[in-house]
Amino acid sequence: MHVDTVTEIAQMETQKAPMRVLVTGGTGLVGRAIEQVVQAQGGCGKGEQWIFLSSKDADLRDLAQTRALFEKHRPTHVIHLAAMVGGLFRNMRENLDFWRSNVHINDNVLQTAHEMGVVKVVSCLSTCIFPDKTTYPIDETMIHNGPPHNSNFGYSYAKRMIDVQNRAYFQQHGRRYTAVIPTNVFGPHDNFNIEDGHVLPGLIHKAYIAHKEGSPLQVWGTGTPRRQFIYSLDLARLFVWVLREYNEIDPIILSVGEEEEVSIKEVADSVVEALGFKGQVVFDTSKADGQFKKTASNAKLRRHLPDFTFTPFSQAVKETCDWFVANYDTARK
Ligand code: NAP
Ligand code: GDP
């Protein structure tokens, strides 16, 4: 009881203070996009202070390092992005590491935020944690309705527990900690490592090499699975809105509409066009397809933001390809 009272007082005090936002995972694909959007919006000029962190600032799998980091920065708000992240093939290889790293990171960040009186935490789930066997479209109420696809069960269960933990912090302590659920994200500063990364950066990197070597572009799997993609800079604008305006504990899907879903073959076609690749495109059907689709509904987002405009997919792919070519030497790969 006593701890709760002290915490609530601290919460009220920080609510009056200007926002001091700590972004864990601030050097990754999503973190860099949020940084760009906040700078463009003049966020710091609005009396907000934003701190973007990398794993070099603290290994968030470690509780002592996490506490030291929060002691140093004393945030009022947290955008929690830090995670072990990978595409289908890394997930299939390292389910145990995805589970353990992410469970430790998430528990350390959420519990430390609570202990230090952080007013609001926005964490990041993913549509790839949804049940494999389900009806479509999937919405926010269906996260726990059945097991995730077997390829990424470690990552998925670790991420699902954030939602469990958020509800429990609200129930026991009145904390307003929530989460967003983006679809497959891509953009500048992605991880372009072919073995470990997601499909779009993987295909962009492979097409870049195939173009140089005059070899075919290898698309893994049959090309038939379907995905919704969100450009990192669109996601960043939505993330900042959630931090400032969205007050539910229940998560919110941040996605383009169901009609924007594309096949992996269409993704490859977009990359080929954006890079002007003229070679052969082949499908390596010995490689896994993963979950066939995870079609998500953005109806809740549309109720809040009916007029939000997403960057057209082909334009976003072109901008990402251009960024990769221009930054080839320093890009993560
Ligand atoms: P990312 O590019 O791989 O960046 C990961 C970030 O987390 C980096 O800043 C990294 O720091 C940091 N990090 C990793 N391990 C850490 C540790 N042990 N301690 C402290 N920091 C650590 O990932 P992202 O694609 O931006 O993903 C951001 C969030 O979105 C994640 O929660 C992810 O699950 C979620 N998400 C991603 C996608 C997607 O398609 N990419 C889709 C849905 C949801 P360093 O730079 O120092 O390595
Ligand atoms: P997911 O959306 O969580 O399944 O993860 P990915 O972004 O890794 O996408 C996986 C889908 O893209 C599967 O259907 C793969 O077979 C297909 N794919 C085709 N080529 C590639 C590639 O080069 N890298 C990856 N990661 N997936 C690829």
Side-chain angles (χ1 to χ4, degrees):
M1 269 315 272
H2 176 68
V3 173
D4 269 358
T5 310
V6 171
T7 308
E8 292 310 321
I9 290 167
Q11 191 171 356
M12 284 159 62
E13 283 172 352
T14 43
Q15 264 163 348
K16 278 185 244 144
M19 280 212 309
R20 193 174 165 81
V21 188
L22 200 68
V23 183
T24 73
T27 49
L29 164 65
V30 181
R32 294 285 202 134
I34 293 176
E35 189 172 25
Q36 189 176 326
V37 163
V38 168
Q39 274 171 5
Q41 291 180 347
C44 303
K46 288 182 188 155
E48 295 173 8
Q49 192 179 351
W50 288 74
I51 302 146
F52 292 86
L53 301 168
S54 81
S55 63
K56 293 188 191 73
D57 295 292
D59 183 345
L60 297 171
R61 292 171 301 182
D62 181 277
L63 181 58
Q65 289 187 44
T66 308
R67 282 188 171 142
L69 189 80
F70 275 70
E71 290 280 6
K72 179 176 171 193
H73 295 291
R74 289 273 161 192
T76 60
H77 294 65
V78 172
I79 290 184
H80 172 39
L81 304 173
M84 181 174 174
V85 181
L88 169 65
F89 295 92
R90 187 176 186 203
N91 271 279
M92 286 169 63
R93 287 196 308 273
E94 300 177 40
N95 268 295
L96 177 64
D97 292 349
F98 275 96
W99 161 258
R100 296 196 68 229
S101 295
N102 289 326
V103 157
H104 287 143
I105 289 173
N106 297 336
D107 186 54
N108 289 339
V109 167
L110 289 171
Q111 180 59 19
T112 305
H114 164 61
E115 286 170 3
M116 301 222 177
V118 172
V119 175
K120 185 165 181 179
V121 180
V122 183
S123 298
C124 201
L125 313 181
S126 167
T127 53
C128 69
I129 72 167
F130 283 143
D132 183 31
K133 306 231 177 321
T134 178
T135 54
Y136 298 101
I138 306 175
D139 69 30
E140 291 84 354
T141 66
M142 295 159 73
I143 299 175
H144 304 282
N145 281 3
H149 193 265
N150 203 36
S151 55
N152 65 351
F153 67 90
Y155 176 83
S156 298
Y157 279 118
K159 285 281 180 183
R160 285 182 185 192
M161 290 309 114
I162 290 181
D163 177 58
V164 171
Q165 212 156 331
N166 284 344
R167 282 189 274 143
Y169 279 117
F170 182 68
Q171 188 196 63
Q172 269 185 249
H173 300 290
R175 288 273 178 234
R176 298 216 156 258
Y177 296 171
T178 190
V180 300
I181 313 178
T183 56
N184 201 315
V185 190
F186 70 100
H189 304 282
D190 205 341
N191 179 5
F192 290 84
N193 184 285
I194 292 171
E195 298 300 325
D196 291 349
H198 285 97
V199 57
L200 252 165
L203 287 177
I204 292 171
H205 193 177
K206 286 195 286 192
Y208 179 89
I209 292 171
H211 174 70
K212 276 201 160 171
E213 294 180 348
S215 54
L217 166 61
Q218 298 269 345
V219 182
W220 292 343
T222 61
T224 57
R226 303 184 67 77
R227 298 286 184 270
Q228 286 154 299
F229 290 90
I230 184 165
Y231 191 34
S232 58
L233 291 158
D234 293 343
L235 176 60
R237 287 189 287 139
L238 292 170
F239 237 116
V240 171
W241 166 77
V242 168
L243 182 77
R244 293 183 182 141
E245 312 282 349
Y246 179 79
N247 288 320
E248 293 180 32
I249 311 303
D250 288 340
I252 181 165
I253 291 171
L254 302 181
S255 173
V256 298
E258 293 149 56
E259 68 287 354
E260 305 280 328
E261 190 175 55
V262 288
S263 70
I264 297 300
K265 181 184 179 306
E266 288 170 306
V267 174
D269 291 344
S270 301
V271 170
V272 162
E273 189 178 334
L275 285 174
F277 178 72
K278 302 278 183 261
Q280 199 190 355
V281 178
V282 294
F283 290 84
D284 181 352
T285 53
S286 69
K287 298 266 195 183
D289 269 345
Q291 191 165 350
F292 179 66
K293 63 178 188 173
K294 329 157 180 215
T295 321
S297 163
N298 70 355
K300 185 176 188 178
L301 173 65
R302 282 299 180 204
R303 281 198 295 279
H304 284 278
L305 295 179
D307 299 326
F308 185 87
T309 50
F310 290 93
T311 309
F313 182 62
S314 56
Q315 181 188 330
V317 170
K318 176 79 176 117
E319 287 178 15
T320 306
C321 288
D322 290 350
W323 183 90
F324 180 65
V325 172
N327 294 277
Y328 184 76
D329 290 340
T330 51
R332 253 191 307 166
K333 55 187 189 304

